[in-house]
Amino acid sequence: MDKVTVRQLKLETIIGLFPWERQVKQRLFVDLEMQVDITKAAETDDFQYVVNYAEVCDRVAALADEGQFKLLETFVERIAALILNNFDVSWVKVSVSKTDVIPMANSVGVEIERSK
C-alpha cells in the first residue's frame, strides 16, 4: 500500500461549543494519510499521475476558512469526504488536533479512517 502524507498542516477556524469559541478562530493541526498507487508516477516521473498534496492542503484550508464547526468530529468527516470525492485516493486517514483546550493536555483530537 502506497501513501501520500501531510503532517501538522496548521489551520485556523471557528470551532467549538462554548460561546468564546464561536467568537475567535482557533489553531488546529491536521494530519492526512491517503492511500494511492504511485507506480505510474514513479515509472514515468510525471506529475499528472500523482495526488497533488499542495492542492489537497489548499482545499482543506479553504474548508477551514469557509466553515464554522461545533465539533471536531464534523470537521474531520468533511475533510475525509472532500478528499475521497475530489482526489484519486481509495482510503484516507484524517487526524485533527486542537491545542489550548484542556490545561493538562498538549492537545485533544479526533482521528478517522474512511474509504471509497
Side-chain angles (χ1 to χ4, degrees):
M1 171 174 42
D2 307 327
K3 291 182 186 175
V4 172
T5 63
V6 175
R7 298 280 181 244
Q8 297 280 304
L9 177 63
K10 290 184 259 182
L11 303 174
E12 291 190 350
T13 193
I14 301 289
I15 192 160
L17 297 172
F18 299 109
W20 70 267
E21 291 179 301
R22 310 303 300 151
Q23 302 297 319
V24 296
K25 288 189 173 186
Q26 296 181 66
R27 176 168 286 170
L28 302 176
F29 292 95
V30 176
D31 291 334
L32 305 170
E33 291 184 23
M34 298 164 281
Q35 185 177 352
V36 299
D37 182 354
I38 67 162
T39 306
K40 183 87 170 177
E43 288 173 352
T44 63
D45 202 25
D46 192 332
F47 181 76
Q48 73 176 323
Y49 300 113
V50 302
V51 170
N52 184 337
Y53 49 81
E55 185 179 345
V56 170
C57 291
D58 287 345
R59 298 283 296 274
V60 172
L63 179 66
D65 286 341
E66 296 164 4
Q68 292 193 15
F69 309 95
K70 291 181 181 173
L71 301 175
L72 284 175
E73 289 82 353
T74 302
F75 188 49
V76 296
E77 283 287 355
R78 292 200 183 152
I79 293 170
L82 179 147
I83 292 170
L84 289 172
N85 292 330
N86 293 284
F87 296 93
D88 189 19
V89 304
S90 56
W91 168 90
V92 64
K93 178 163 51 171
V94 180
S95 176
V96 176
S97 59
K98 185 174 168 181
T99 61
D100 302 323
V101 177
I102 298 176
M104 297 87 66
N106 185 42
S107 66
V108 298
V110 174
E111 180 177 279
I112 64 169
E113 297 180 31
R114 298 292 181 263
S115 57
K116 287 185 178 175

